[in-house]
């Protein structure tokens, strides 16, 4: 036994163990699901095969039991159970909880009965065989011509080959199905490659045993090629189970973190409105951090309601389209211009309160006042919030049509309530364009030109 071969037996065990650890929570939570039970059984048997097939474990088993080569039927039984779990997994995959449940149960019973019978036959044949000389690595070829042991070796290899052939064909067919998730498709490809490599294991074993029957010596296929193929196959199968779960998990984590980062410019701008930062907790999950940032931004936008100017947003949208921006980006740029203008207007209102405003209101309208955090006007906050939900009769974005919309111009001096539907719904798009101040300034300048001309004429 070479040291490298010994290490190779434990490498797939570690990878299979990782796959089992990833799947275990789902298996335990949804134990009644036949598909998850099949996956759990497959991974458990796969791990057991490589644990007990390791040369040192084989020697330990023989020594502890005191029976030479008793590790052979034990490992063969585990490998047969693993082969059965492949077929059970395919049955659960193909049929699932469909109207073919009766057919599924019949197929499951058939597989369990046949492969349980194979396991029983393996132990009976071993009891009848005469195998006194312990063989750690080359038992299959050493006893290839021994009565009953010969049949045992052939039986487990045929059971393994049949299960592997059926599973490989069905998995490859499924991997070419239209509409599969990309991560699931890659997982199936790894599984298919693993089962095809398992066929190489069986072919190497059968060829080496057949060579012994004809008086030739191809034992190197049994001692070198077959174990290597088994290790590679097990690793590929384990990766096939890991890829869909880990890939989807990492993709979702990346999507959430990217959304969280993309909202940073808008969150930073909203600090000028609230005078505070969003809640932060190192122990919070990425999902919770995203929800807190989105809530913080929307609450701050509600406080800007009375300072938003829909007419400016309509003119800014027209300016963006005139400057060559596509409609979606022009809409986001128009919203950003309106938002920046509202922040500035609110700042001016806080610094220079209107003459009609009582001194008490002016004193409470400071950035750190609890009242100002709820409503910049110093009122109860109900008016500001009621005007931000958007009227069902209004367009989601007046700027899309290039006109102020049915409500007409609005803003600090307008009588209509600003439409904030787009701002509240598309905070991601607005935050992204805040990273491009040059574009915002170009739209702002272009949108201001007609207003200046109108003011001069009047």
């Amino acid at each position: 036994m070479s040291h490298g071969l010994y290490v190779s037996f434990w490498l797939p065990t570690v990878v299979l163990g990782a796959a089992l650890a990833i799947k275990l929570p789902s298996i335990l939570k949804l134990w009644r699901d036949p598909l998850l039970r099949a996956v759990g059984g497959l991974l458990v048997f796969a791990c057991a095969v490589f644990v007990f097939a390791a040369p040192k474990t084989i020697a330990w088993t023989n020594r502890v039991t005191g029976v030479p080569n008793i590790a052979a039927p034990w490992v063969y039984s585990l490998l047969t159970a693993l082969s059965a779990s492949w077929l059970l997994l395919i049955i659960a995959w193909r049929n699932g909880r469909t109207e073919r449940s009766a057919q599924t149960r019949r197929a499951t019973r058939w597989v369990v009965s046949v492969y349980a019978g194979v396991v029983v036959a393996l132990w009976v044949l071993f009891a009848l065989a005469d195998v006194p000389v312990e063989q750690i690595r080359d038992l299959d070829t050493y006893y290839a011509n021994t009565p009953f042991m010969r049949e045992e070796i052939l039986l487990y290899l045929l059971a393994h080959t049949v299960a592997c052939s059926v599973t490989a064909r069905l998995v490859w067919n499924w991997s070419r199905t239209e509409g599969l998730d990309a991560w699931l498709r890659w997982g199936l490809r790894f599984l298919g490659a693993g089962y095809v490599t398992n066929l190489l294991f069986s072919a190497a074993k059968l060829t080496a045993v057949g060579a012994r029957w004809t008086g030739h010596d191809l034992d190197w296929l049994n001692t070198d090629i077959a174990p290597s193929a088994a290790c590679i196959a097990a690793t590929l199968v384990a990766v096939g189970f890991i890829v869909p779960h880990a890939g989807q998990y990492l993709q979702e984590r990346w999507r959430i973190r990217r959304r969280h980062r993309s909202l940073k410019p808008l969150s930073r701008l909203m600090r000028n409105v609230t005078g505070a930062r969003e809640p932060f907790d190192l122990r919070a999950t990425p999902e919770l951090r995203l929800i807190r940032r989105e809530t913080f931004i929307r609450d701050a936008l509600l406080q800007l309601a009375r300072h938003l100017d829909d007419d400016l947003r309509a003119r800014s949208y027209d300016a963006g389209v005139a400057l060559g921006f596509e409609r979606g980006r022009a809409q986001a740029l128009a919203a950003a211009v309106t938002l920046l203008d509202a922040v500035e207007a609110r700042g001016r209102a806080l610094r220079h309160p209107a003459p009609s405003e009582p001194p008490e209101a002016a004193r409470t309208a400071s950035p750190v006042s609890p009242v100002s955090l709820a409503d910049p006007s110093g009122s109860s906050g109900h008016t500001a919030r009621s005007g931000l939900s958007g009227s069902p009769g209004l367009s989601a974005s007046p700027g899309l049509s290039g006109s102020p919309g049915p409500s007409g111009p609005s803003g600090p001096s307008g009588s209509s309530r600003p439409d904030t539907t787009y701002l509240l719904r598309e905070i991601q798009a607005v935050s992204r364009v805040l990273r491009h101040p040059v574009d915002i300034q170009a739209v702002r300048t272009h949108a201001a030109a007609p207003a200046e001309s109108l003011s001069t004429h009047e």
Side-chain angles (χ1 to χ4, degrees):
M1 177 190 68
S2 65
H3 180 69
L5 183 62
Y6 171 73
V7 173
S8 70
F9 270 86
W10 291 102
L11 177 61
T13 306
V14 172
V15 182
L16 287 165
L20 180 60
I22 290 173
K23 289 288 187 181
L24 191 58
S26 298
I27 294 171
L28 295 177
K29 184 178 180 180
L30 303 171
W31 177 249
R32 297 179 67 87
D33 188 331
L35 177 59
L36 286 175
R37 287 203 305 269
V39 170
L42 187 153
L43 293 174
V44 167
F45 282 124
C47 289
V49 165
F50 281 92
V51 168
F52 287 97
K56 282 190 175 181
T57 310
I58 291 175
W60 176 85
T61 304
N62 294 335
R63 183 176 67 256
V64 169
T65 59
V67 180
N69 298 311
I70 197 173
W74 175 241
V75 173
Y76 296 164
S77 298
L78 290 174
L79 187 58
T80 302
L82 175 61
S83 301
S85 70
W86 294 342
L87 294 175
L88 293 176
L89 178 63
I90 291 300
I91 292 171
W93 261 343
R94 286 193 55 154
N95 296 342
R97 299 175 179 177
T98 66
E99 67 279 1
R100 295 180 292 176
S101 58
Q103 178 185 352
T104 301
R105 288 194 295 270
R106 284 196 302 271
T108 300
R109 286 195 297 266
W110 185 87
V111 170
V112 172
S113 300
V114 170
Y115 277 80
V118 171
V119 171
V120 172
L122 290 174
W123 285 97
V124 171
L125 290 170
F126 179 79
L128 296 173
D130 183 19
V131 287
V133 180
E134 183 182 53
Q135 296 296 319
I136 302 298
R137 292 186 56 199
D138 56 352
L139 183 142
D140 290 354
T141 49
Y142 187 88
Y143 288 109
N145 290 309
T146 301
F148 300 110
M149 198 64 192
R150 173 183 56 225
E151 287 76 11
E152 175 168 358
I153 294 168
L154 184 61
L155 180 61
Y156 97 83
L157 287 176
L158 288 178
H160 176 270
T161 303
V162 170
C164 193
S165 301
V166 173
T167 306
R169 181 173 63 83
L170 294 178
V171 166
W172 276 114
N173 289 341
W174 190 19
S175 69
R176 293 194 292 268
T177 303
E178 296 293 333
L180 287 181
D181 174 78
W183 291 109
L184 177 58
R185 189 183 301 278
W186 274 107
L188 290 171
R189 288 173 179 172
F190 277 107
L191 286 175
Y195 291 126
V196 169
T197 309
N198 258 315
L199 287 174
L200 178 59
F201 164 83
S202 295
K205 287 273 189 180
L206 288 170
T207 303
V209 170
R212 280 294 186 121
W213 292 346
T214 59
H216 298 84
D217 185 354
L218 294 177
D219 290 4
W220 58 273
L221 291 173
N222 178 49
T223 56
D224 297 329
I225 300 300
S228 300
C231 293
I232 295 172
T235 304
L236 290 172
V237 169
V239 171
F241 283 110
I242 291 173
V243 162
H245 188 282
Q248 291 169 0
Y249 175 82
L250 293 175
Q251 183 178 19
E252 182 64 15
R253 296 284 80 71
W254 171 250
R255 185 188 67 81
I256 290 173
R257 292 182 184 277
R258 186 175 58 184
R259 284 178 61 87
H260 186 267
R261 285 198 305 270
S262 68
L263 288 174
K264 188 175 182 180
L266 187 53
S267 175
R268 187 184 296 117
L269 179 62
M270 292 301 99
R271 293 174 194 171
N272 297 328
V273 178
T274 64
R277 293 175 175 267
E278 64 193 81
F280 179 76
D281 184 358
L282 286 174
R283 296 171 297 178
T285 63
E287 293 89 347
L288 182 57
R289 292 180 185 179
L290 176 61
I291 291 172
R292 286 177 174 175
R293 176 162 285 184
E294 289 177 340
T295 303
F296 170 77
I297 289 172
R298 289 190 172 99
D299 286 347
L301 288 174
L302 291 173
Q303 298 181 35
L304 287 176
R306 63 191 298 266
H307 300 286
L308 295 172
D309 186 346
D310 281 347
D311 181 61
L312 173 61
R313 180 146 62 101
R315 288 186 283 107
S316 298
Y317 172 78
D318 291 339
V321 173
L323 290 172
F325 294 107
E326 55 92 16
R327 294 177 65 88
R329 186 166 178 81
Q331 191 176 10
L333 286 167
V337 169
T338 308
L339 191 59
L340 290 170
D341 179 80
V343 172
E344 294 172 2
R346 182 178 183 275
R348 289 193 299 269
L350 292 176
R351 291 192 300 270
H352 307 291
S356 60
E357 186 177 8
E360 291 80 3
R363 285 196 297 270
T364 58
S366 63
V368 296
S369 170
V371 176
S372 69
L373 292 179
D375 179 12
S377 65
S379 63
S380 64
H382 174 74
T383 304
R385 289 182 180 270
S386 65
L388 275 171
S389 58
S391 173
L394 298 181
S395 167
S397 175
L400 278 176
S401 62
S403 63
S407 63
S410 63
S413 61
S415 59
S416 63
R417 294 171 177 174
D419 182 7
T420 58
T421 305
Y422 179 81
L423 279 175
L424 293 172
R425 187 182 66 236
E426 301 296 339
I427 57 177
Q428 290 283 339
V430 176
S431 186
R432 281 195 294 268
V433 299
L434 287 174
R435 297 180 182 273
H436 304 278
V438 174
D439 293 345
I440 294 175
Q441 185 58 42
V443 170
R444 198 171 194 176
T445 302
H446 198 279
E452 291 172 1
S453 175
L454 179 62
S455 177
T456 303
H457 175 73
E458 292 178 347

